[in-house]
Amino acid sequence: QVQLVESGGGLVQAGDSLRLSCAFSGRTFSSYDMGWYRQAPGKEREFVSVISWNGRTSYADSVKGRFTISRDNAKNTVYLRMNSLKPEDTAIYYCNADSRVASDYWGQGTQVTVSS
């Protein structure tokens, strides 16, 4: 049993920053690849970023250079630092855990709204 709980979303203005957190409840956090996805109203869920169990990172082109993913294995937490936010970043952001050998886990999502 794995549970993911996102936090840190909110309403900000363009150019502002936020840091999202995802708390992992389970036995083997350090063995999971952890990722962030987002879904805007009326659109499909899209990949944002991922960090592997050993710290390798990848980003969608739309956020590269602005967002930074990190993990703290001692706290069983993954973060997404979001700088220079744009209205186009408005979405529900979901945390993902991928063991590579079983089905993924998903959090409930946290809302990020960026005003012009």
Side-chain angles (χ1 to χ4, degrees):
Q1 169 77 350
V2 171
Q3 184 180 18
L4 306 174
V5 180
E6 302 96 332
S7 62
L11 174 62
V12 298
Q13 293 185 264
D16 286 352
S17 297
L18 283 172
R19 189 181 73 165
L20 306 183
S21 298
C22 173
F24 176 105
S25 297
R27 192 167 56 85
T28 55
F29 174 76
S30 62
S31 69
Y32 283 83
D33 296 342
M34 301 296 301
W36 290 95
Y37 293 72
R38 67 187 183 186
Q39 187 169 23
K43 301 182 71 176
E44 296 295 313
R45 188 172 301 185
E46 66 175 350
F47 168 79
V48 175
S49 184
V50 66
I51 183 166
S52 72
W53 66 272
N54 61 346
R56 292 182 169 85
T57 60
S58 184
Y59 299 90
D61 287 343
S62 59
V63 307
K64 196 171 299 180
R66 298 188 297 121
F67 291 9
T68 303
I69 191 170
S70 61
R71 67 191 296 159
D72 186 340
N73 287 349
K75 296 182 177 180
N76 285 10
T77 302
V78 62
Y79 305 96
L80 185 68
R81 186 183 66 194
M82 309 163 67
N83 294 332
S84 302
L85 282 162
K86 305 174 180 180
E88 306 90 88
D89 296 317
T90 296
I92 301 174
Y93 284 71
Y94 296 92
C95 184
N96 169 268
D98 182 2
S99 72
R100 310 299 295 171
V101 297
S103 298
D104 289 7
Y105 295 92
W106 294 90
Q108 82 290 343
T110 186
Q111 177 71 49
V112 173
T113 303
V114 185
S115 63
S116 300

